[in-house]
Amino acid sequence: MKVFVTRIIPEAGLRLMKDAGLEISQWTEKRDLTPQELIDHCKPVDALLSAGTNQIDKTFLNACAHLKVISLHSVGYDRVDVPTATALKIPIGNTPGVLTDATADVAFLLILAASRKAFYLHESIERGDWGFFEPKANLGIEIRGKTLGVFGLGKIGFELARCCATAFGMKIIYHNRNRHQQAEKELKAEWVSFDELLRQSDVLSVNTALTPETKGKFNKEAFGKMKPCAIFINAARGGIHNEPDLIEALQKQTIWGAGLDVTDPEPMRPDNPLLRMPNVAVLPHIGSATVETRNAMAVIAAKNIIAGVKGERLLFSVNPEVYSG
Ligand code: DGY
């Protein structure tokens, strides 16, 4: 059996697949495959391990309907046309759980970095701007005892809320479709409507998946309802905020600051005004980028491939309906 891997992934995952007798071909160029190149590479193989931004859309799936499994090296699956994959009976695997802590840590880092202008001030030293001490210069805002609002309190949102509540005594509010009993019990988190989340949050963190419902949810209207002292954090998917609206909200001081691990588009252009704003911290989508987490993701992605080529249930699948009927 043959597998095509769209990026160089950690050895731990490759070794597992080799030990299982799979023949691996890997894309090693430092650019994305074009949609046609992805199809061409997948035609002769039995399985696809997709790490990165390739669109697994209707055109691709129809052209490669022979695939026994598509295993994502990510928890997010917004770039996959899941209904079409399900209709074609192709199981789609992902890597939930193992990146929870690493991604929550990055959201926490962004809260502190934005609230204390950390990245901007680091750059000001490089520019030779560390002048004489001025009591009113370089002031950030404190987050201790303030309110963290989580939009989409799942595993990552819960871990972030736990850190903020325990380390900084923050009050936790959240907006979800379903109530999160554990967060309400352990963190005294309070469910609020979306409008209340916007109105009450001092720090508002997005920790949900990109779906048609969440796309562009944080737009001019939403930022307009937030506090002028609020910090907006997104470590989920850039498509959930409207980036021109966010830039305008920061420029007009509708909100105070922002911390982004995800942008729209990615990669962010170096001339994006967000990169020059003191109260903004931007990272290049590194939520899961630790040695431990990426190894664990590669192992799960490989195990999903091995199960899929054998026709067995995947360890983690986003469309378990393929097994019914
Ligand atoms: C994920 O796994 O979805 C992370 O955001 C990396 O893409």
Side-chain angles (χ1 to χ4, degrees):
M1 293 274 192
K2 295 180 182 167
V3 187
F4 178 59
V5 184
T6 65
R7 285 283 195 287
I8 300 173
I9 62 162
E11 190 54 35
L14 293 175
R15 206 178 320 116
L16 270 182
M17 293 191 287
K18 281 181 197 151
D19 289 350
L22 297 173
E23 196 182 309
I24 299 167
S25 54
Q26 243 178 322
W27 179 254
T28 53
E29 285 187 38
K30 289 209 178 298
R31 66 169 178 87
D32 282 324
L33 290 141
T34 65
Q36 190 54 49
E37 284 171 336
L38 184 64
I39 292 175
D40 293 343
H41 280 85
C42 287
K43 286 264 188 214
V45 302
D46 306 283
L48 166 64
L49 195 157
S50 174
T53 50
N54 295 107
Q55 291 300 319
I56 313 290
D57 58 12
K58 196 170 259 162
T59 309
F60 171 81
L61 290 164
N62 283 325
C64 295
H66 66 284
L67 289 173
K68 294 189 184 332
V69 54
I70 296 174
S71 172
L72 306 176
H73 194 280
S74 65
V75 64
Y77 50 91
D78 43 280
R79 62 184 195 278
V80 182
D81 179 345
V82 177
T84 300
T86 307
L88 293 168
K89 296 263 176 219
I90 305 175
I92 306 290
N94 71 339
T95 63
V98 289
L99 43 71
T100 301
D101 292 351
T103 308
D105 291 351
V106 162
F108 194 63
L109 163 69
L110 288 169
I111 295 173
L112 286 175
S115 70
R116 300 303 295 271
K117 310 181 177 180
F119 295 0
Y120 176 84
L121 292 175
H122 174 102
E123 280 165 17
S124 77
I125 300 171
E126 290 178 331
R127 287 193 303 271
D129 284 346
W130 187 353
F132 62 95
F133 169 67
E134 292 175 85
K136 284 180 71 180
N138 302 334
L139 303 188
I141 47 177
E142 298 196 7
I143 59 166
R144 273 189 177 69
K146 301 234 172 114
T147 298
L148 171 74
V150 181
F151 180 67
L153 200 149
K155 288 192 179 77
I156 296 169
F158 179 80
E159 186 52 28
L160 173 66
R162 203 185 57 73
C163 290
C164 289
T166 49
F168 288 104
M170 293 182 82
K171 174 183 172 185
I172 310 298
I173 58 175
Y174 72 102
H175 180 73
N176 272 16
R177 253 178 315 195
N178 301 312
R179 299 288 281 261
H180 197 295
Q181 305 296 346
Q182 189 188 359
E184 293 191 11
K185 193 161 165 247
E186 291 178 21
L187 308 176
K188 310 221 176 333
E190 186 190 332
W191 184 94
V192 293
S193 67
F194 183 59
D195 269 18
E196 278 306 313
L197 190 83
L198 297 172
R199 283 199 190 93
Q200 291 184 31
S201 300
D202 295 303
V203 176
L204 198 160
S205 177
V206 174
N207 296 103
T208 191
L210 176 64
T211 64
E213 291 77 42
T214 62
K215 190 171 167 50
K217 184 93 177 161
F218 288 85
N219 55 15
K220 189 180 172 120
E221 192 191 343
F223 293 126
K225 291 179 182 169
M226 288 172 66
K227 295 182 181 179
C229 60
I231 298 175
F232 173 76
I233 302 291
N234 191 353
R237 283 293 181 267
I240 300 171
H241 65 253
N242 177 310
E243 210 145 289
D245 288 358
L246 174 62
I247 293 169
E248 191 186 298
L250 288 159
Q251 283 168 338
K252 292 190 170 163
Q253 299 179 353
T254 309
I255 63 170
W256 189 87
L260 306 177
D261 185 42
V262 291
T263 62
D264 189 18
E266 289 183 7
M268 177 181 262
R269 286 175 52 100
D271 61 356
N272 190 306
L274 290 169
L275 295 171
R276 318 272 168 265
M277 294 185 190
N279 308 351
V280 174
V282 185
L283 288 170
H285 202 148
I286 57 155
S288 62
T290 64
V291 173
E292 296 85 347
T293 294
R294 288 282 164 83
N295 278 342
M297 291 167 75
V299 165
I300 294 180
K303 286 184 175 171
N304 277 339
I305 289 282
I306 295 165
V309 293
K310 288 186 192 157
E312 293 170 2
R313 273 186 105 92
L314 309 190
L315 229 67
F316 297 102
S317 143
V318 306
N319 59 346
E321 314 86 85
V322 291
Y323 302 112
S324 55

